[in-house]
Amino acid sequence: QVHSLQELRRSASLATKVFVQRDYSDGTTCQFQTKFPPELESRIERQLFEETVKTLNGFYAEAEKIGGSSYLEGCLACATAYFIFLCMETHYEKVLKKISKYIQEQNEKIYAPRGLLLTDPLERGMRVIEISIYEDRCSSGSSSSGSSSSSSGGAGG
Amino acid sequence: MPAASGKRFKPSKYVPVSAAAIFLVGATTLFFAFTCPWLSLYVSPVIPIYNAVVFLFVLANFSMATFMDPGIFPRAEEDEDKEDDFRAPLYKTVEIKGIQVRMKCWAVSAGEKLCQPSLSPSSPHRQEFDHHCPWVNNCIGRRNYRYFFLFLLSLTTHIMGVFGFGLLYVLYQAELSGVRMAVTMAVMCVASLFFIPVAGLTGFHVVLVARGRTTNEQVTGKFRGGVNPFTNGCCKNVSRVLCSSPAPRYLGRPRAEQTVLVRPPFLRPEVSDGQITVKIMDNGIQTELKRTKSKGSLEVTESQSADAEPPPPPKPDLSRYTGMRTHLTLATNEDSSLLGKDSPPTPTMYKYRPGYSSSSSSAALPHSTSAKLSRVNSLKEPNSICESGHKPSYRSEPSLEPENFRSPTFGKSFPFDPLSSGSRSSSLKSAQGTGFELGHLQSIRSEGTTSTSYKSLVNQTRNGSLSYDSLLTPSDSPDFESVQAGPEPDPPVGYTSPFLSARIAQQRETDLHGRFAGAVSPKHVPPREPSPVRYDNLSRHIVASIQEREKLLQQPPAPGREDDAGLADSGIQSTPGSSNAPRTSSSSDDSKRSPLGKNPLTRPAPPRFGKPEPHHALRVRSLGSPEQPAAPHLGKSVSYSSQKTAASQAGVPEAEEVALQPLLAPKDEAQMRTSYSKSNGQPKSLGPAAPSPGPVPLSSPTRGGVKKVSGVGGTTYEISV
């Protein structure tokens, strides 16, 4: 059947992007809104999404946490005229690495199988969590990939 | 002039920073060269060391402040072309920490929108933009603010140190001539010259840090009111600036390779039972069981109440529902519409008859079904009893009450349960304790009251027999049993519209009497949907009574049957009686029904029940009989059954009446009879005639034992007590 061939060439095309904005209700700390975007209604379970965002929020809170370790780090940096930054990475950067690993893992396990992709907020300046929604190109699903894919393609840079 | 990336090289831009650098480094060097040796010899060697340290600190911070970007957002390439977007921010108000803050929203890039509080970060380009420092030739933002602040502090300290020690030198020198003196004096002058602005700036920023503001905010007077939503308190602000871990830069980061491939086929969220929110549209008492998947729930509810719309193409995760939906769709278009339309407060009805359940359980009908009744009493028992006889009817019920049938699966309460319990209990009471009752009672109980009968119904439906056909085919005992055995537990969470439950009961009756052939055509249900609202309001009672009736109908054709049917009818009828509106609708339904023939199924409302085929009505009655104990039930069931029977068949009325009798308590009976007869007459006449007369007698609140229950929609139901 023709389908087999088509199936082999099945690929997903970017349909649209959803942006999860920052939640400023707690000040300028880096938090993202856990409100479930309506575009994801049919793509992923609400609970999974919320869990992802909450975990990310937790990570960011940990990164910005002011504690003994961060204070010491600051003092050390001052003492060494910030040369220490050449050798070791800051606490914040460590957490950022954890975040990116987490996002990668989430993408692999949960989002990609559902045709979604999370973008690390760091790549967007910590402003939004960008979720790309893909549509199966072979399916006749409602995919508004036309304009959005072109624009998203442009924005991918 | 070298041009860098198309930008013009502006030397003037670098004047301040150059001057600052020159002065800083130069003066300090001279200080070290000329002043420090004497100081180290005559005062203390610590001085140069101290000054060296401070100077180093200054340099480090200066460098960091100069060369560290303030947190510039990485922008997509096309952002350069979309400058206009940046210039046209939209504003919206957001509450931050209890304070209304205006947010500026920019379209940053393709569809991406950036909303920032318009106070703190004033520019979409930089995070927490503070200001542009010409001395550092850099914008100060979130990232380098710390270094800038420390730079200021250290510079101030350094200047003070240099000036002080120079002064010391000068003071201690006997002669005020010499190169050293001159140099020292020069350095002191420079130091003092710079001290005033730097100290001033430092002090300014100290205040800013303490207040948690940025320079921009302070200068533009945004916080004149003294209210800053972004402040965390003085100490916290200071610590946040100084002690928090330095934020990383955004630009120039190595782009992580996208190693995750997105390949179809894609999973779709599963609409698990637990997630389906059965939203019962009742009087605002919406029992939303678990709204994990709003869409799913929507679909579920819609499928139930949807106007005969086939469910969306079943997705794998929704496969569960597929069957149900299909059934639902097939089964009752109108039922669903009835269900979905209005949200009569089944709960209201249900609540209204709390006693029914209990009473129903204890009701002991003389009929053969009494045994079953006892089972009903247990309420918790699976509706096995009901199963035996009522499968067919139950089966069809699910179609009427999609929620019900889902509830076992979802663990949600059946919307019908309250209804069913109510109606069932009444019907049970009125009926002769048929198996239906048990089922009804059980279901009712599950709710907390008694909808056993309903539950059995639901159970049945759960088994997958959601179509009307099941109702019609009486031989589903096995299914019924299985259904019954299961689920009790799904306590009716929501309320399916009483309309539905009534429908189901009707369907059951139809089924039961399906053998009567021709009489019942579940498919005919659709036509009768005149007043879903009312039925919904009737809710529990009606449903319960309906169910009971059905059970009764399902009972072995034996003696109790007719009685049951009649009772059930009465039970069902009682509900409608409770409200004028439903009554009217029911009567109208009845009227409709009559022309339709026996479409018990189509009528969720009590009157409908009365309408279905005669045998159905009979069945209903039998169902109702078990409920006799509860007076109100009786009243209801009686009226209901009376209505039903009257509507449905000509020859039945008597039978129904007879059936009703055992169900009703003596006094109620009389009442019921009256109402029943009235209703009996009504339904039939209603068809052609105006429906109002039918329900009227039942609806009079003044009726003995008639309670008025008002539903959400403003509908009032009279429940004959």
Side-chain angles (χ1 to χ4, degrees):
Chain A
Q1 271 209 8
V2 188
H3 297 308
S4 58
L5 250 188
Q6 290 176 349
E7 278 166 5
L8 287 178
R9 287 184 315 207
R10 269 175 101 178
S11 60
S13 64
L14 185 63
T16 182
K17 285 187 184 181
V18 181
F19 298 100
V20 178
Q21 297 286 337
R22 283 272 294 270
D23 177 17
Y24 289 107
S25 63
D26 205 25
T28 50
T29 53
C30 183
Q31 298 282 295
F32 290 95
Q33 293 179 359
T34 53
K35 185 176 79 78
F36 189 70
E39 294 88 347
L40 297 180
E41 280 282 340
S42 64
R43 302 301 296 253
I44 190 169
E45 289 85 343
R46 180 183 291 257
Q47 189 234 344
L48 285 176
F49 169 82
E50 284 177 1
E51 193 186 316
T52 302
V53 177
K54 280 184 186 155
T55 312
L56 284 177
N57 283 344
F59 275 128
Y60 288 118
E62 182 197 339
E64 294 177 359
K65 187 174 69 93
I66 298 167
S69 64
S70 61
Y71 180 73
L72 279 176
E73 191 182 63
C75 286
L76 189 67
C78 269
T80 63
Y82 306 112
F83 283 106
I84 197 75
F85 290 147
L86 295 173
C87 311
M88 85 172 196
E89 56 184 20
T90 69
H91 169 70
Y92 205 105
E93 281 180 0
K94 284 187 191 135
V95 176
L96 282 183
K97 277 199 179 166
K98 273 205 285 185
I99 289 172
S100 109
K101 246 179 68 176
Y102 173 77
I103 287 180
Q104 171 99 354
E105 170 209 339
Q106 288 279 296
N107 272 339
E108 277 169 14
K109 288 189 190 161
I110 296 172
Y111 288 84
R114 287 169 173 77
L116 304 171
L117 262 193
L118 287 179
T119 306
D120 197 337
L122 186 64
E123 292 178 22
R124 294 289 175 264
M126 309 291 272
R127 295 173 295 176
V128 291
I129 300 178
E130 181 183 305
I131 303 175
S132 313
I133 300 177
Y134 289 86
E135 288 290 344
D136 189 354
R137 206 166 2 120
C138 292
S139 69
S140 58
S142 59
S143 136
S144 58
S145 45
S147 57
S148 52
S149 52
S150 58
S151 56
S152 58
Chain B
M1 284 282 193
S5 51
K7 292 184 183 165
R8 286 188 52 205
F9 182 69
K10 294 179 204 165
S12 59
K13 193 167 71 164
Y14 296 97
V15 166
V17 65
S18 314
I22 288 169
F23 274 110
L24 174 68
V25 174
T28 309
T29 310
L30 289 175
F31 171 80
F32 278 116
F34 292 89
T35 316
C36 280
W38 184 87
L39 287 170
S40 63
L41 288 172
Y42 290 92
V43 179
S44 166
V46 175
I47 295 174
I49 296 172
Y50 163 78
N51 278 299
V53 168
V54 171
F55 180 63
L56 200 63
F57 201 66
V58 171
L59 276 184
N61 283 307
F62 177 74
S63 310
M64 295 291 268
T66 303
F67 301 117
M68 184 175 280
D69 67 85
I72 295 175
F73 297 129
R75 292 164 66 180
E77 288 86 12
E78 71 270 19
D79 285 353
E80 309 299 333
D81 304 325
K82 295 188 180 169
E83 288 292 330
D84 292 342
D85 291 342
F86 288 100
R87 313 238 193 292
L90 303 171
Y91 291 90
K92 69 179 180 187
T93 306
V94 166
E95 181 170 319
I96 296 177
K97 283 191 190 175
I99 300 165
Q100 294 291 325
V101 175
R102 248 166 114 227
M103 304 271 285
K104 264 201 231 172
C105 300
W106 295 272
V108 176
S109 61
E112 179 185 348
K113 194 178 66 156
L114 167 66
C115 284
Q116 292 177 332
S118 64
L119 299 174
S120 185
S122 62
S123 158
H125 304 277
R126 299 167 195 83
Q127 253 191 349
E128 276 200 47
F129 175 74
D130 191 80
H131 71 283
H132 179 87
C133 180
W135 306 106
V136 183
N137 191 35
N138 196 9
C139 283
I140 308 299
R142 185 174 168 229
R143 279 184 74 219
N144 51 7
Y145 185 78
R146 175 215 312 263
Y147 306 114
F148 176 75
F149 185 69
L150 288 176
F151 166 67
L152 281 181
L153 277 180
S154 58
L155 186 64
T156 308
T157 313
H158 179 65
I159 289 175
M160 286 199 300
V162 165
F163 185 82
F165 290 118
L167 189 67
L168 192 70
Y169 175 83
V170 167
L171 289 177
Y172 274 89
Q173 287 293 325
E175 53 187 55
L176 291 175
S177 62
V179 178
R180 290 199 182 187
M181 183 64 71
V183 169
T184 307
M185 298 278 279
V187 167
M188 275 175 61
C189 287
V190 168
S192 59
L193 200 67
F194 276 100
F195 177 75
I196 296 167
V198 170
L201 193 64
T202 305
F204 173 72
H205 277 277
V206 165
V207 168
L208 276 189
V209 167
R211 286 189 184 172
R213 296 186 192 181
T214 66
T215 307
N216 209 34
E217 293 162 4
Q218 181 71 26
V219 167
T220 54
K222 284 181 180 149
F223 290 119
R224 232 174 260 139
V227 174
N228 181 3
F230 301 108
T231 185
N232 300 309
C234 177
C235 291
K236 278 197 177 171
N237 288 338
V238 174
S239 61
R240 191 174 72 87
V241 169
L242 299 177
C243 305
S244 61
S245 193
R249 61 196 163 125
Y250 304 129
L251 295 181
R253 295 184 75 88
R255 273 275 164 136
E257 299 269 334
Q258 186 60 268
T259 57
V260 181
L261 297 177
V262 178
R263 282 248 176 273
F266 298 138
L267 297 179
R268 296 280 163 167
E270 302 229 351
V271 186
S272 65
D273 295 338
Q275 288 177 345
I276 299 233
T277 303
V278 176
K279 207 162 185 181
I280 314 259
M281 312 297 262
D282 47 24
N283 304 333
I285 303 175
Q286 290 171 354
T287 321
E288 226 173 274
L289 300 177
K290 267 203 261 176
R291 228 185 148 93
T292 4
K293 184 107 178 53
S294 54
K295 204 175 207 187
S297 60
L298 254 185
E299 288 180 46
V300 169
T301 44
E302 281 175 352
S303 62
Q304 301 165 359
S305 57
D307 302 328
E309 274 199 29
K315 295 177 179 176
D317 46 283
L318 296 175
S319 53
R320 278 184 86 150
Y321 295 98
T322 312
M324 293 202 286
R325 294 222 194 100
T326 330
H327 283 289
L328 290 176
T329 335
L330 293 176
T332 24
N333 291 341
E334 62 277 342
D335 285 344
S336 51
S337 59
L338 283 172
L339 261 189
K341 301 276 169 84
D342 297 299
S343 47
T346 313
T348 311
M349 297 297 289
Y350 184 69
K351 287 179 200 163
Y352 200 78
R353 312 171 52 161
Y356 287 138
S357 50
S358 48
S359 53
S360 60
S361 56
S362 55
L365 295 174
H367 287 264
S368 56
T369 55
S370 55
K372 291 186 185 171
L373 242 193
S374 55
R375 280 201 57 183
V376 176
N377 293 342
S378 64
L379 283 187
K380 291 301 179 177
E381 294 182 16
N383 311 326
S384 49
I385 297 178
C386 304
E387 293 171 24
S388 49
H390 311 301
K391 288 225 192 111
S393 57
Y394 280 115
R395 289 261 188 85
S396 53
E397 287 213 13
S399 51
L400 288 176
E401 308 165 355
E403 288 132 0
N404 283 342
F405 107 80
R406 273 210 234 172
S407 52
T409 324
F410 309 146
K412 290 208 166 180
S413 57
F414 296 103
F416 267 92
D417 278 347
L419 288 179
S420 58
S421 55
S423 54
R424 276 203 233 151
S425 51
S426 56
S427 59
L428 282 175
K429 286 178 190 167
S430 54
Q432 312 277 321
T434 51
F436 275 95
E437 301 151 27
L438 288 179
H440 286 292
L441 287 175
Q442 287 181 2
S443 54
I444 294 172
R445 297 274 181 196
S446 57
E447 287 190 22
T449 42
T450 43
S451 43
T452 39
S453 56
Y454 214 77
K455 262 193 358 172
S456 55
L457 267 186
V458 178
N459 295 338
Q460 278 195 336
T461 56
R462 262 195 336 148
N463 280 340
S465 52
L466 293 180
S467 55
Y468 272 106
D469 298 335
S470 60
L471 279 182
L472 291 181
T473 51
S475 57
D476 310 39
S477 26
D479 295 333
F480 191 89
E481 298 208 355
S482 56
V483 170
Q484 296 269 358
E488 243 147 18
D490 304 322
V493 174
Y495 299 96
T496 36
S497 56
F499 184 64
L500 273 189
S501 45
R503 256 207 203 181
I504 292 184
Q506 297 238 336
Q507 287 182 354
R508 284 213 212 135
E509 295 176 14
T510 330
D511 255 0
L512 293 175
H513 300 288
R515 331 152 187 183
F516 295 88
V520 177
S521 44
K523 308 299 180 187
H524 286 312
V525 174
R528 335 176 185 260
E529 300 284 313
S531 45
V533 184
R534 325 263 173 73
Y535 294 115
D536 291 342
N537 285 330
L538 292 176
S539 66
R540 287 203 210 136
H541 298 291
I542 297 176
V543 174
S545 50
I546 291 171
Q547 308 216 344
E548 288 164 356
R549 278 195 211 178
E550 301 229 356
K551 283 186 185 174
L552 290 175
L553 292 174
Q554 296 247 351
Q555 291 300 330
R561 257 252 184 113
E562 296 188 351
D563 291 342
D564 292 344
L567 290 172
D569 279 350
S570 56
I572 298 172
Q573 294 225 334
S574 55
T575 359
S578 51
S579 53
N580 293 331
R583 254 316 143 88
T584 318
S585 57
S586 59
S587 50
S588 58
D589 291 337
D590 290 341
S591 56
K592 284 183 196 173
R593 277 204 287 181
S594 40
L596 293 176
K598 319 208 175 175
N599 286 333
L601 300 181
T602 53
R603 197 179 55 123
R608 286 218 182 177
F609 279 95
K611 263 201 180 179
E613 285 107 27
H615 37 271
H616 283 258
L618 289 175
R619 296 227 177 166
V620 173
R621 273 193 243 140
S622 60
L623 288 176
S625 45
E627 293 192 293
Q628 174 146 24
H633 271 282
L634 288 177
K636 287 194 201 156
S637 53
V638 171
S639 56
Y640 191 89
S641 51
S642 60
Q643 276 191 6
K644 274 179 64 165
T645 47
S648 51
Q649 26 241 253
V652 175
E654 292 101 4
E656 291 181 348
E657 293 211 326
V658 171
L660 286 175
Q661 289 186 16
L663 294 175
L664 298 174
K667 67 170 186 179
D668 288 342
E669 232 181 323
Q671 230 174 8
M672 301 312 249
R673 291 244 201 107
T674 342
S675 56
Y676 178 82
S677 49
K678 283 189 190 172
S679 54
N680 278 336
Q682 290 304 338
K684 300 224 187 135
S685 54
L686 282 182
S692 46
V696 167
L698 295 173
S699 54
S700 67
T702 54
R703 274 245 167 125
V706 175
K707 287 188 193 175
K708 242 189 178 166
V709 180
S710 49
V712 161
T715 323
T716 15
Y717 301 99
E718 292 185 10
I719 302 173
S720 37
V721 179

